[in-house]
Amino acid sequence: MLGAHQRKAAVNLLFVVHWVLTFCFLISAFVVAGTANAGFNVVLTGLMYVAFGVASFLAINRYQSSTLLGSLIGVSGTLTLLSLQTAIFWGQLSNCSRPPRGTIVEHYTCENTSAMQSVCAFAALLFLLQLVITLALFSWRDELAHGMLMYSQVNAGGYGDASMPPPESGPDYAPYGGSSGYGGGGGGGSYQGGVPQQDV
């Protein structure tokens, strides 16, 4: 089982891969931006990937909020479906046929088919990655939203406040027979091994 820190590192690694694929997708999207009736949509999709990457990094590493993380899960699920739709659309569009030379067809272009295939390929990879990210965010939502806060409040000694010394080093501690209020002067209580005990 992965701890809270390992899960956060795994999610950040997924985001790094997402940024790399988003950069490649965005380059291909700008190449096919002149495609009739579809160029603007694919560029907008690429910008949505960029916005998701920035928002997800801030949500996981800076603003640890359960509300923000829940919104991030919803957006990630929506982008998963959008990636699948984009991959199918541009995969089919890459099989277009160019009109005969000298023939002009309005609102129809069939150029840069290799770039269309590139958009399809990166959209398919982003679909798989978005699916993994969505499942990871949903499965580890409690640790990602609150795990770092809980772990920061616990020091290596197991005490809630790192500045609070253990009882053995406190000013009121003294061994049996000392001058402490726990059992000084052979009073009604004793303090053996740092644990108060009642005399019988």
Side-chain angles (χ1 to χ4, degrees):
M1 296 294 294
L2 296 177
H5 292 280
Q6 288 79 8
R7 291 179 179 182
K8 180 181 177 182
V11 171
N12 282 328
L13 180 60
L14 291 176
F15 288 148
V16 171
V17 178
H18 186 275
W19 291 338
V20 174
L21 292 179
T22 297
F23 178 75
C24 298
F25 178 88
L26 201 58
I27 292 177
S28 301
F30 283 126
V31 174
V32 299
T35 304
N37 304 319
F40 174 77
N41 292 337
V42 70
V43 173
L44 182 60
T45 301
L47 295 178
M48 291 175 64
Y49 286 136
V50 174
F52 173 79
V54 175
S56 59
F57 178 81
L58 294 177
I60 298 300
N61 297 280
R62 186 170 181 180
Y63 305 107
Q64 294 178 345
S65 168
S66 57
T67 302
L68 183 58
L69 185 59
S71 302
L72 190 64
I73 294 174
V75 173
S76 181
T78 303
L79 285 180
T80 302
L81 299 177
L82 181 61
S83 301
L84 178 61
Q85 177 183 353
T86 303
I88 295 174
F89 177 82
W90 286 94
Q92 293 179 344
L93 191 61
S94 63
N95 296 322
C96 63
S97 300
R98 294 184 179 182
R101 180 173 298 180
T103 302
I104 299 178
V105 180
E106 295 184 357
H107 305 293
Y108 179 81
T109 54
C110 186
E111 300 177 356
N112 296 324
T113 56
S114 59
M116 295 179 182
Q117 295 175 353
S118 178
V119 170
C120 172
F122 287 119
L125 294 176
L126 283 168
F127 163 71
L128 297 176
L129 182 60
Q130 285 286 164
L131 184 60
V132 175
I133 290 176
T134 303
L135 294 176
L137 292 177
F138 181 79
S139 301
W140 301 338
R141 59 190 182 277
D142 294 332
E143 292 83 353
L144 295 175
H146 306 292
M148 295 302 295
L149 179 60
M150 292 187 296
Y151 274 81
S152 64
Q153 296 176 346
V154 180
N155 63 354
Y159 295 94
D161 188 356
S163 62
M164 180 183 298
E168 292 81 2
S169 61
D172 294 332
Y173 170 76
Y176 179 73
S179 60
S180 172
Y182 284 106
S190 63
Y191 206 99
Q192 298 179 359
V195 180
Q197 298 178 355
Q198 183 68 31
D199 290 340
V200 179

